[in-house]
């Protein structure tokens, strides 16, 4: 969508008139008003109340300027040395925070007194604690820094609460006059230091998060392309789209007829129908990447409180627009796509549904609770986690599973002879229905025995030297037996 | 036998020996024959015996209700592994027959190939107290049976060795269902992998003994196992994916491992075992035989860490120098058993050093240590006065002088293996001074004559097992001494003692307890001899008549009539016809294993008829490969469905000329 606007086409009016989808008024009015590249990206709107509209975003130097610390409790007003009320707020906040940590430490102590359940858990708590303490220290210093305007500048490197204040900081930027630095010399050194420190802090936070990962059930997150790349703070800019932007089905619109497209290339193809001027190679070719090395862009989720939101303490930026879309849909939207096969799995991203449908029904690993799994290790993980759950056998013919395993075994070349294996598989087929071969139903004498064999047998019997009389009488009895009628023994 | 006391006797024996005293006496009577004699004294003794009896191994299922219900009220352990034609239906019927099943704690169903998940389910639901189930070698047992087993929540001891159908899923069901499991044997369950073991460890925290032999498990399983706190014994025979790295996981010392068996693990070296020792100072048993490793001084010095506890050390097939043996001696004083079979480089000097330090040794295995001479026997007789078991197979340099010293020094000897030692009658004369001998193996000692057997017969009255394989000088006269002196003989191997005739077997027929008899290649023995054996040896369970070419149908008739407990028979190469075979297979209800190769006088129809007459109760069958095509497919299918495994042998087969096409 950024590219579309970079065409320099003014389509706001058409857009407003021929909206194909119900666009919220906010977007059509406020964000599509100018033809600069970021106009309809609400660039950090909530925290830069004084600047947003008047800023010229085309200018990079200024575009990356907004440095908002307002979301944090430490509100800095550059004109006033320090505000007693704010200070009080800050202090009470700090007090509260310390109190919280006290609670955590208490719980750790209690846990330790018992037999520690998981060694991992303790490490995680410690990590969290360290992070919290760090942020308190930072807060404290910054609060104190307000009191001493003379050293404020020196302290800057440490007084900016990491994740919040440095978000959009760009080392290459020239600082605005209203920045809270009395000293106008480009403080590159400090900024670098700041970035470094931020990275360090961030790393420690990441560690903590990693240790915490068990609690993070949204495994899709990593697919959103937002795994923390070690970008220096400020070496990228953070963009945040409104949720309506994210949910819009199309992002590229024809300025003439208003038709929407998902891809810019498709739009360009479409434009050819509107006249000769759109058929020139220049118009058809991909807009050149030309220009100065652009800043790396990273995206923020508009959902407040989400860890992909730039105001979150452990902010993890999203890499691409697609990531933003998928993340927002997966995490903050209803799951409206329902699998047509199992009618139970729901998805908010169509692609996810399609991926699932491809494999739906193939789940052969079944738990006693009814959940199915496509992989054995997933099932076993599930069983290990939940007390009382156990793997279950498929209710009907379970042989499919078993025999496939046997094939695998054969493939491995274990020291079995093929005979051995075949026997085994054959027997397996009878595993379920052994009953049908009960003693009662099985009658060995139902098979006819040829008379010739009888003859031979009889001749032997007559010549046999040591058959005792009882044996013969035994034979006589048996002969009369109806079930043994074919048999002379 | 009822004791009738004349009224003149004031104190009958019952007044002196009360039931509880008799029960105490019974605690010390283990042998089945002795117990039988005890039972036969009088009613009072019979009562005491039936009160005392805790375990039962019935041969026939149909007497079970009366046995369990009336006679033996306190049976806790029931072994059904030798019951014939045991299947789901008969088991269910037996279970339904009385409430006494509810008291059972242990049930043995090894090799009960006819039992499936329905039977197990019935068993498990009926016996709420059940603690131990043995299903080993039921090859077709699969996950469905495992699911049934999982319903026995109180199960502590489970053996499913060689249940080939059990997969990770089956094991997982058992792990979840039987959380109190303490002992588990899953040897040869080839489809169980790390993932199953991992779950087992997570669910059964009380696990103490685990047998994973021959599985494809890797180091990850060992990592999981190392977290078990009550763990005691681990068996990893032939696990080829285990290596030193895996054993290092056991190093954490979190559990009280006492026994480890890693024999035949190709990738394990002494280093891995040393790391196990490092973490477990209470290790009692180490078996590292046939690992591809060497015994280094570093390893031996590591053994000194477990000096006080190590009891059993097996180093079969490794190369050990004299100094190594000396080190073992000085580092492991408390050794009770040492295995050095097929060790290379074992000499008189080394063994001398070893036994001079380890005076507690009770069992020494020196099989195939060819270099050893009488000096070793001198040293052993000097230091190891408690020795009970000595294996010297193929130590052919030893003479009667050495054995004389052994006989005087180690008078408590119970078992001695002298196979292929080419000893003579004089050595035997010395050895039979050890009157406690129970097991004597003299295979391939061609110098032994009737004179030697006379020494055995006159001195070793407790002998239970005697191996005279290819002692070609042994004749009928010698057997008469055995029959007179060794009344407790249970196993006797007379293969290829070609001088033996019907007369010799006639002598042997007085051995009431003989259960195992091998008579391979005795061409001079005819049906007459076998008839006398069948008539006399009532306990006969296993009989090998392979290559006794004079034996014909008459012997089969006699066996069918008298040897009702016969379980295994080999009549390959005998002159048995279809009629005899049919009679044999049809009548002997207990027969489970039959080897019927190269029966040249039996026609295909004879086989077909005999196998059908057997009602497919056989569990194992060995047949000529040609028959695979000739027997009706339906019969074969039926046999296999009943749990019978057929081994086809590719040998040229000559059919009975009477076969009518």
């Amino acid at each position: 969508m950024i590219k579309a606007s970079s065409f320099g086409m003014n389509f706001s009016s058409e857009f407003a008139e021929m909206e194909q989808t119900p666009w919220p008024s906010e977007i059509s009015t406020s964000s599509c008003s100018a033809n600069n590249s970021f106009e309809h990206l609400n660039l950090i709107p909530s925290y830069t109340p004084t600047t947003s509209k008047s800023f010229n975003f085309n200018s990079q130097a200024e575009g990356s300027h907004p440095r908002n610390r307002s979301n944090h409790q430490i509100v800095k007003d550059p004109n006033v040395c320090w505000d007693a009320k704010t200070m009080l707020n800050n202090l009470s906040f700090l007090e509260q925070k310390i109190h919280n940590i006290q609670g955590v430490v208490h719980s750790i102590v209690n846990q330790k007194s018992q037999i520690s359940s998981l060694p991992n858990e303790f490490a995680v708590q410690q990590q969290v604690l360290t992070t919290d303490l760090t942020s308190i220290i930072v807060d404290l210093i910054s609060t104190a820094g307000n009191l001493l305007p003379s050293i404020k500048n020196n302290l800057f490197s440490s007084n900016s609460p990491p994740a919040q204040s440095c978000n959009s900081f760009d080392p290459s930027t020239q600082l605005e006059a209203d920045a809270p630095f009395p000293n106008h010399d480009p403080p590159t050194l400090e900024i670098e230091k700041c970035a470094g420190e931020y990275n360090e802090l961030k790393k420690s936070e990441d560690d903590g998060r990693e240790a915490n990962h068990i609690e993070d059930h949204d495994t899709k997150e990593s697919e959103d392309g937002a795994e923390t790349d070690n970008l220096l703070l400020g070496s990228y800019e953070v963009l945040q789209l409104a949720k309506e932007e994210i949910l819009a089905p199309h992002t590229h619109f024809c300025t003439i007829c208003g038709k929407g497209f998902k891809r810019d290339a498709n739009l360009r193809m479409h434009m050819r129908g509107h006249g000769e001027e759109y058929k020139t190679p220049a118009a058809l070719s991909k807009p050149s990447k030309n220009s100065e090395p652009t800043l790396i862009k990273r995206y923020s989720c508009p959902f407040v409180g989400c860890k992909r939101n730039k105001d979150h303490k452990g902010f993890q930026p999203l890499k691409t627009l697609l990531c933003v879309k998928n993340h927002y849909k997966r995490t903050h939207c209803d799951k409206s796509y329902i699998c047509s096969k199992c009618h139970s799995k729901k998805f908010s991203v169509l692609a996810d549904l399609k991926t699932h449908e491809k494999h739906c029904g193939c789940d052969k690993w079944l738990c006693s609770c009814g959940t199915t799994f496509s992989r054995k290790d997933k099932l076993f993980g599930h069983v290990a986690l939940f007390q009382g759950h156990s793997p279950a056998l498929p209710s009907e013919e379970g042989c499919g599973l078993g025999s496939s395993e046997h094939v695998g075994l054969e493939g491995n070349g274990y020291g079995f002879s093929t005979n051995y294996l075949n026997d085994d598989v054959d027997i397996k087929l009878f595993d379920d229905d052994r009953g049908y071969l009960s003693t009662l139903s099985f009658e060995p004498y139902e098979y006819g025995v040829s008379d010739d064999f009888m003859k031979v047998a009889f001749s032997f019997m007559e010549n046999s030297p040591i058959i005792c009389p009882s044996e013969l009488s035994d034979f006589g009895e048996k002969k009369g037996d109806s079930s043994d009628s074919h048999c002379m023994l | 036998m009822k004791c009738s006391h004349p009224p003149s006797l004031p104190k009958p024996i019952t007044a002196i020996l009360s039931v509880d005293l008799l029960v105490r006496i019974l605690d010390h009577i283990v042998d089945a024959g002795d117990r039988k004699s005890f039972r036969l004294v009088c009613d009072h003794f019979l009562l005491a015996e039936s009160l005392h009896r805790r375990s039962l191994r019935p041969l026939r299922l149909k007497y079970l209700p009366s046995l369990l219900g009336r006679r033996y009220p306190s049976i806790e352990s029931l072994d059904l592994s030798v019951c014939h034609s045991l299947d789901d239906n008969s088991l269910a019927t037996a279970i339904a027959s009385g409430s006494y099943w509810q008291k059972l704690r242990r049930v043995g169903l090894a090799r009960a190939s006819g039992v499936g998940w329905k039977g197990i389910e019935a068993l498990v639901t009926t016996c709420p107290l059940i603690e131990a189930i043995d299903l080993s070698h039921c090859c077709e047992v699969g996950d469905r049976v495992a699911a049934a087993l999982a319903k026995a929540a109180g199960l502590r001891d489970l053996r499913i060795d060689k249940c080939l159908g059990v997969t990770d899923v089956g094991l997982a069901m058992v792990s979840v269902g039987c959380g109190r499991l303490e002992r588990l044997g899953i040897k040869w369950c080839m489809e169980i992998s790390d993932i199953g073991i991992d779950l087992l460890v997570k669910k059964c925290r009380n696990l103490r003994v685990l047998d994973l032999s021959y599985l494809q498990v890797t180091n990850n399983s060992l990592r999981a196992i190392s977290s078990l706190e009550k763990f005691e014994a681990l068996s990893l025979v032939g696990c080829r994916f285990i290596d030193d790295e895996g054993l290092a996981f056991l190093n954490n010392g979190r559990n009280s491992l006492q026994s480890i068996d890693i024999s035949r693990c190709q990738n394990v070296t002494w280093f891995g075992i040393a790391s196990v020792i490092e973490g477990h100072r209470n290790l009692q048993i180490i078996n590292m035989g046939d690992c591809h490793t060497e015994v280094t001084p570093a390893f031996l010095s590591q053994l000194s860490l477990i000096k006080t506890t190590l009891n059993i050390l097996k180093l079969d097939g490794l190369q050990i120098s004299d100094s190594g043996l000396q080190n073992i001696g000085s580092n492991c004083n408390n050794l009770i058993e040492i295995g050095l079979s097929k060790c290379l480089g074992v000499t008189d000097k080394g063994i001398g050093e070893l036994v001079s330090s380890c005076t507690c040794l009770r069992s020494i295995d020196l099989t195939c240590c060819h270099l050893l001479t009488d000096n070793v026997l001198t040293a052993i007789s000097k230091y190891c006065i408690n020795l009970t078991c000595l294996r010297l197979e193929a130590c052919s340099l030893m003479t009667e002088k050495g054995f004389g010293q052994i006989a005087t020094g180690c008078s408590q000897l119970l078992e001695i293996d002298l196979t292929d030692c080419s000893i003579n009658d004089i050595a035997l004369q010395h050895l039979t001074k050890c009157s406690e001998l129970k097991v004597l193996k003299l295979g391939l000692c061609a110098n032994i004559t009737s004179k030697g057997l006379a020494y055995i017969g006159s001195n070793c009255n407790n002998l239970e097992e005697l191996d005279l394989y290819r002692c070609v000088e042994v004749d009928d006269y010698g057997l008469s001494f055995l029959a007179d002196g060794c009344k407790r003989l249970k196993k006797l191997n007379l293969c290829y003692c070609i001088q033996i005739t019907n007369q010799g077997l006639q002598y042997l027929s007085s051995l009431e307890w003989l259960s195992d008899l091998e008579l391979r290649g005795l061409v001079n023995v005819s049906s007459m001899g076998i008839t006398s054996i069948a008539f006399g040896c009532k306990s006969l369970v296993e009989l090998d008549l392979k290559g006794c070419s004079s034996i014909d149908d008459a012997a089969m008739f006699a066996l069918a009539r008298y040897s009702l407990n016969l379980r295994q028979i080999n009549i390959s190469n005998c002159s048995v016809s279809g009629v005899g075979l049919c009679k044999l297979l049809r009548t002997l209800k207990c027969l489970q294993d039959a080897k019927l190769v190269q029966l040249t006088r039996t026609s295909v129809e004879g086989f077909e008829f005999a196998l059908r007459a057997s009602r497919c109760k056989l569990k194992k069958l060995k047949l000529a490969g040609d028959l695979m095509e000739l027997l009706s497919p339906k019969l074969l299918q039926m046999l296999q469905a009943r749990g019978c495994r057929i081994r086809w042998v590719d040998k040229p087969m000559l059919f009975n000329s009477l076969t009518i096409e």
Side-chain angles (χ1 to χ4, degrees), chain A residues 236-422:
Chain A
Y236 58 88
E237 59 185 334
V238 175
L239 309 176
Q240 181 170 292
L241 285 76
K243 91 175 206 265
E244 292 77 9
E245 286 283 328
I246 291 168
L247 296 177
H250 300 143
T251 46
H252 305 276
F253 294 92
C254 173
T255 47
I256 297 161
C257 67
K259 191 170 169 82
F261 296 91
K262 280 184 180 170
R263 291 183 182 81
D264 181 42
N266 293 353
L267 174 65
R268 272 181 271 129
M269 289 298 128
H270 164 83
M271 292 310 283
R272 290 181 306 174
H274 286 305
E276 284 300 316
E277 68 266 36
Y278 297 111
K279 289 181 181 173
T280 60
L284 281 172
S285 68
K286 212 172 173 181
S288 61
K289 280 189 173 167
N290 64 20
S291 77
E292 331 66 65
T294 48
L295 259 183
I296 302 165
K297 296 188 186 82
R298 287 291 178 267
Y299 298 87
S300 155
C301 169
F303 193 90
V304 179
C306 170
K307 72 173 177 186
R308 304 297 193 183
N309 184 276
K310 58 189 157 37
D311 300 322
H312 190 273
K313 211 161 70 179
F315 173 55
Q316 287 178 300
L318 293 151
K319 263 183 185 167
T320 65
L321 272 177
L322 191 67
C323 295
V324 178
K325 282 188 159 197
N326 284 345
H327 160 78
Y328 193 83
K329 283 185 193 167
R330 279 174 186 146
T331 323
H332 309 300
C333 291
D334 289 338
K335 300 185 172 181
S336 47
Y337 299 111
I338 300 170
C339 173
S340 59
K341 287 184 184 167
C342 62
H343 300 289
S344 61
K345 279 267 186 186
K346 295 176 181 175
F347 302 91
S348 46
V349 176
L350 189 62
D352 291 353
L353 172 73
K354 284 180 176 165
T355 314
H356 163 78
E357 277 184 336
K358 226 182 274 174
H359 300 287
C360 182
C362 303
D363 294 353
K364 54 179 182 176
W365 302 105
L366 180 67
C367 176
S368 57
C369 68
T371 324
T372 56
F373 299 86
S374 57
R375 282 166 52 181
K376 186 160 75 167
D377 53 337
K378 298 285 175 200
L379 166 65
F380 277 61
H382 167 88
V383 168
L385 198 63
F386 296 99
Q387 206 67 39
H389 289 216
S390 134
L393 293 170
S395 50
E396 63 283 295
E397 285 300 13
C399 59
L401 211 154
S403 56
S404 72
E405 297 246 330
H406 273 275
V407 172
L409 188 70
E410 196 170 21
N412 281 342
Y414 270 84
F416 296 108
S417 71
T418 42
N419 239 344
Y420 189 90
L421 259 172
N422 289 343

Side-chain angles (χ1 to χ4, degrees), chain B residues 70-135:
Chain B
R70 287 194 289 279
R71 186 150 160 211
Y72 295 119
S74 39
I75 291 289
E76 288 179 350
S77 168
L78 187 63
D79 187 353
L80 299 172
S81 56
V82 292
C83 275
H84 68 83
S85 50
L86 186 69
D87 61 15
D88 283 351
N89 288 317
S90 54
L91 188 62
T93 317
I95 288 170
S97 67
S99 60
Y100 46 81
W101 284 82
Q102 291 169 9
K103 288 182 280 181
L104 283 185
R105 291 181 186 272
R106 312 177 72 85
V107 173
L109 289 165
R111 293 176 208 276
S113 49
V115 176
W117 64 274
K118 284 178 188 158
I120 300 293
E121 198 163 71
L123 179 75
V124 162
T125 46
T126 319
C127 312
L129 298 177
I130 202 150
E131 280 175 5
I133 295 181
D134 184 355
L135 271 176

Side-chain angles (χ1 to χ4, degrees), chain B residues 113-265:
Chain B
S113 49
V115 176
W117 64 274
K118 284 178 188 158
I120 300 293
E121 198 163 71
L123 179 75
V124 162
T125 46
T126 319
C127 312
L129 298 177
I130 202 150
E131 280 175 5
I133 295 181
D134 184 355
L135 271 176
S136 49
H137 298 278
C138 298
C139 300
E140 65 279 22
V141 156
D143 288 347
R144 228 156 254 281
V145 172
L149 284 173
K151 291 179 184 161
L155 209 60
R156 289 193 186 166
D157 186 348
L158 178 64
R159 289 185 76 92
I160 47 172
D161 298 352
K162 212 171 182 184
C163 291
L164 295 170
V166 175
T167 66
D168 283 335
V169 173
L171 182 63
M173 287 189 283
V174 170
S175 318
V176 173
C178 317
R180 286 184 228 162
L181 218 53
E182 288 176 14
R183 308 168 76 92
L184 179 65
I186 47 174
K187 186 174 170 177
W188 276 117
C189 294
M190 296 301 293
E191 295 188 24
I192 288 175
S193 64
D194 284 345
I195 193 170
I197 304 294
D198 193 50
L199 189 71
L200 172 76
V201 167
K202 279 181 189 152
K203 295 289 180 184
C204 303
R205 301 302 296 174
N206 292 332
L207 216 55
R208 289 192 291 120
V209 181
L210 187 58
D211 186 350
L212 302 178
S213 303
Y214 303 102
L215 261 57
Q216 290 171 267
V217 293
T218 67
N219 294 340
N220 293 332
S221 286
L222 289 185
R223 192 209 307 259
I225 288 167
S226 68
S227 71
L228 287 170
E229 275 152 24
K230 298 182 181 168
F231 203 62
E232 283 171 13
L234 180 62
S235 186
L236 294 168
V237 182
C239 293
R240 34 192 214 138
F241 298 110
I242 299 280
D243 58 25
D244 292 348
E245 215 173 293
L247 290 179
F249 289 128
L250 296 178
N251 191 8
N252 62 9
R254 207 182 286 176
N255 45 47
S256 49
L257 196 69
Q258 289 171 7
S259 158
I260 186 159
D261 185 348
I262 40 157
S263 51
R264 298 188 206 178
C265 291

Side-chain angles (χ1 to χ4, degrees), chain B residues 17 29 33 177 231 274 309 359 375 390 430 437 490 494 579 592:
Chain B
L17 292 169
I29 304 178
F231 203 62
T309 56
T359 48
N375 298 334
L390 182 61
H430 293 310
L437 266 184
K490 286 178 181 159
L494 295 171
V579 180
Q592 294 181 353

